Amino acid sequence: MNTPPKENIPKHIAIIMDGNGRWAKRRLQPRFMGHRAGVKTVADIVKRCAELGVEVLSLFAFSSENWRRPGKEVSLLMELFSHALDNQVKKLHDNNIRLCIIGDIDKFTPTLQQKIAQAQELTRNNTGLIVNIAANYGGRWDITQSVRQIAQKVATGELKPEDINEEDISALLTTSALPEPDLFIRTGGEQRVSNFLLWQMAYTEFFFTDVLWPEFDSKQLDAAISSFSKRERRFGRTSEQLQGQSDA
Ligand code: IPE
Ligand code: IPE
Ligand code: MG
């Protein structure tokens, strides 16, 4: 497979992996089979991102709203996450990949929390791709927990309310060590953000595809990157300014 020039590769890709349930339903299978097939897609997309030299891949695995699903589906998703950690972490580590988990993991069982801690510990010094899994994650939760820490600093007199700036809030988000996403991909046809990285995606390029997550593959990832590479990211400026045609 061709590798596009480095400057066309987003540093950080964030994905909402959606459509597992519908994929299974189309095949007259229980929803869970879709989630299982989705884990295989994760492995393929991680591999392709590592090949392309992407720095960070953020994957939305379980949202803070997904607890509203039937209890059986939630517990099967937890089991799947736990098995994926058992089976995939060594391979990630062998490939110099660093695994990070963001989200309110206090709500998970102690065993799952322990596996998450071990996986992060094992891979923490790896220097290749960072795979950032959002589990029991919500963008509003992330902003809230940042603001809560800021309020504590104000309460202790460490910070004055009038000195609070955007950097202070960013620095206490769960993604503070990572660049902001350049490209956001959502599979499964829905065109919404579903409480993913709300603050962090202020200037992210969006790419939506009808392809269901179990059928998303490296070719489609390449197509999303190709679309991204053709866009002009103006960050509020004019096109002329970016092309150096303006003296302003
Ligand atoms: C995404 O697939 C996976 C999770 C939310 C865990 P869905 O389960 O939302 O699949 P659809 O949207 O019902 O097809
Ligand atoms: C978003 O997918 C969360 C994950 C992919 C983990 P959902 O399928 O839960 O999103 P909504 O609720 O349809 O927006
Ligand atoms: Mg869905």
Side-chain angles (χ1 to χ4, degrees):
M1 231 179 270
N2 298 334
T3 305
K6 180 84 187 153
E7 62 272 19
N8 290 349
I9 304 288
K11 279 194 169 63
H12 183 172
I13 301 179
I15 308 184
I16 295 190
M17 312 181 284
D18 198 17
N20 293 348
R22 279 163 286 162
W23 180 85
K25 200 171 168 192
R26 275 186 202 168
R27 300 160 69 103
L28 307 175
Q29 290 174 351
R31 294 178 55 82
F32 174 67
M33 296 301 281
H35 297 315
R36 231 168 60 175
V39 175
K40 167 95 185 43
T41 305
V42 170
D44 294 345
I45 295 306
V46 165
K47 184 163 175 273
R48 182 64 180 152
C49 283
E51 256 168 34
L52 290 171
V54 171
E55 290 175 21
V56 186
L57 173 65
S58 289
L59 299 170
F60 208 1
F62 190 87
S63 76
S64 43
E65 288 72 34
N66 286 146
W67 296 106
R68 296 174 185 155
R69 295 195 177 194
K72 187 71 196 158
E73 179 167 346
V74 170
S75 59
L76 284 168
L77 280 167
M78 294 298 150
E79 262 176 54
L80 194 64
F81 186 29
S82 180
H83 283 147
L85 286 170
D86 291 341
N87 302 326
Q88 310 283 338
V89 171
K90 191 183 173 302
K91 193 173 161 210
L92 296 177
H93 187 47
D94 291 345
N95 285 291
N96 194 27
I97 291 169
R98 178 170 179 190
L99 190 67
C100 297
I101 313 292
I102 56 166
D104 189 4
I105 63 162
D106 291 353
K107 302 287 181 308
F108 295 155
T109 63
T111 317
L112 185 52
Q113 288 186 46
Q114 205 180 356
K115 283 184 192 178
I116 289 170
Q118 282 166 353
Q120 294 192 118
E121 184 54 33
L122 177 72
T123 62
R124 63 181 291 184
N125 293 321
N126 291 345
T127 54
L129 174 69
I130 296 175
V131 174
N132 185 37
I133 306 277
N136 192 20
Y137 181 86
R140 288 180 176 176
W141 165 81
D142 202 357
I143 296 167
T144 305
Q145 65 78 31
S146 166
V147 169
R148 190 178 301 125
Q149 294 180 66
I150 288 177
Q152 272 153 4
K153 290 188 188 192
V154 171
T156 60
E158 196 186 320
L159 189 63
K160 290 202 199 86
E162 58 271 29
D163 291 339
I164 298 170
N165 58 34
E166 293 183 8
E167 284 71 35
D168 294 324
I169 295 177
S170 296
L172 291 164
L173 294 173
T174 55
T175 52
S176 60
L178 309 173
E180 288 180 354
D182 302 294
L183 172 63
F184 163 77
I185 300 171
R186 183 173 186 144
T187 63
E190 311 297 350
Q191 303 198 349
R192 54 182 174 245
V193 181
S194 299
N195 200 14
F196 197 20
L197 299 160
L198 298 179
W199 175 282
Q200 297 88 335
M201 297 207 299
Y203 259 108
T204 301
E205 296 294 331
F206 283 30
F207 183 91
F208 296 100
T209 170
D210 288 339
V211 175
L212 304 173
W213 179 248
E215 285 173 357
F216 191 77
D217 61 16
S218 47
K219 261 218 217 95
Q220 278 133 20
L221 178 73
D222 289 0
I225 293 175
S226 162
S227 162
F228 167 83
S229 69
K230 295 188 186 86
R231 301 184 191 184
E232 185 180 60
R233 302 184 75 191
R234 290 193 283 277
F235 298 101
R237 295 185 182 84
T238 67
S239 195
E240 290 73 17
Q241 280 180 303
L242 292 174
Q243 286 156 23
Q245 293 165 6
S246 163
D247 44 7

